[in-house]
Amino acid sequence: MFSDIQVAPSILSADFANLGRDVQMVADAGADWIHVDVMDGHFVPNLTIGPNHVKALKRVTDVPLDVHLMIDNPEVQVPWYLEAGADSVTVHIEACKDAAAIIQTIHDADAEAGISLNPETEVEALEECLALVDMILVMSVHPGFGGQSFIEETPAKIEAIVAMCKKANVSPRIEVDGGINAQTARLCVGAGADVLVAGSAIFNADDPAAALKGIRDAAD
Ligand code: DX5
Ligand code: ZN
């Protein structure tokens, strides 16, 4: 029924001492994207990884890298991730001075461009970008940490974004990120999401491959 649903395991919950191994594990389990959470300690109160990790991950997998930049001044750093080989780069609307220019920079490098919004940001903030992006990333937790609880208002927000897109006659992919498990995946897909990011639900599971499959199957 929802056969084009994609699953993007977030390596934020992987074993950073064995990142290559964990990425290969979810690639073998059928991941559609590897979701790479970049945090700068300013835009969010946490610090993770940088372009060197993206470059290194490109060497261990053919699964496209979905780089989620939770950083200030993305206009400065986006080129670093493009040069490192990111297949998709998502920036936050709250951090962009000129979102259209950043999206253009991403497209000029033949990568896919995404725009994200925090839970407290109104959907109208995306209006200027709707027709420019390949993907809209809806945060279903406050960005910064894995393992948080899903914000219940998210499906309604996804529905509002889908309605805005319909009105504008565009159809970017809708990705949802934070607190996704088989149960919340179902709610989000029902509301119109088609890319599911999951970190702790996959990497903290006893059987990560089964957990990934469980999230994908929940959407059917
Ligand atoms: C949170 C990150 C997410 C995070 C999701 O700021 O953007 O990608 O890894 O983790 P879970 O799935 O554990 O909520
Ligand atoms: Zn993320």
Side-chain angles (χ1 to χ4, degrees), residues 22-48:
D22 277 8
V23 163
Q24 277 167 348
M25 173 181 69
V26 289
D28 290 346
D32 298 286
W33 297 89
I34 302 296
H35 186 82
V36 180
D37 286 305
V38 175
M39 306 186 187
D40 67 352
H42 294 275
F43 183 76
V44 288
N46 194 6
L47 194 60
T48 56

Side-chain angles (χ1 to χ4, degrees), residues 124-149:
E124 287 74 20
L126 297 178
E127 243 155 22
E128 51 167 326
C129 301
L130 284 187
L132 307 177
V133 291
D134 304 288
M135 187 169 77
I136 294 172
L137 191 169
V138 181
M139 287 306 308
S140 40
V141 297
H142 294 282
F145 300 93
Q148 303 180 72
S149 299

Side-chain angles (χ1 to χ4, degrees), residues 11-125:
I11 58 168
L12 188 60
S13 294
D15 177 356
F16 274 28
N18 290 287
L19 214 42
R21 180 203 66 186
D22 277 8
V23 163
Q24 277 167 348
M25 173 181 69
V26 289
D28 290 346
D32 298 286
W33 297 89
I34 302 296
H35 186 82
V36 180
D37 286 305
V38 175
M39 306 186 187
D40 67 352
H42 294 275
F43 183 76
V44 288
N46 194 6
L47 194 60
T48 56
I49 57 180
N52 287 340
H53 298 83
V54 171
K55 205 170 174 181
L57 289 176
K58 281 305 281 182
R59 291 200 296 269
V60 299
T61 186
D62 291 331
V63 177
L65 302 183
D66 172 31
V67 176
H68 176 193
L69 296 180
M70 287 161 275
I71 63 171
D72 280 331
N73 302 315
E75 59 281 357
V76 175
Q77 296 193 25
V78 157
W80 304 352
Y81 292 91
L82 294 169
E83 279 159 31
D87 298 278
S88 170
V89 176
T90 295
V91 292
H92 270 259
I93 190 71
E94 301 88 359
C96 290
K97 290 185 195 78
D98 184 349
I102 296 176
I103 291 162
Q104 188 61 51
T105 301
I106 298 169
H107 282 156
D108 286 347
D110 286 331
E112 296 201 7
I115 194 81
S116 182
L117 80 173
N118 284 338
E120 65 275 12
T121 301
E122 301 290 338
V123 297
E124 287 74 20

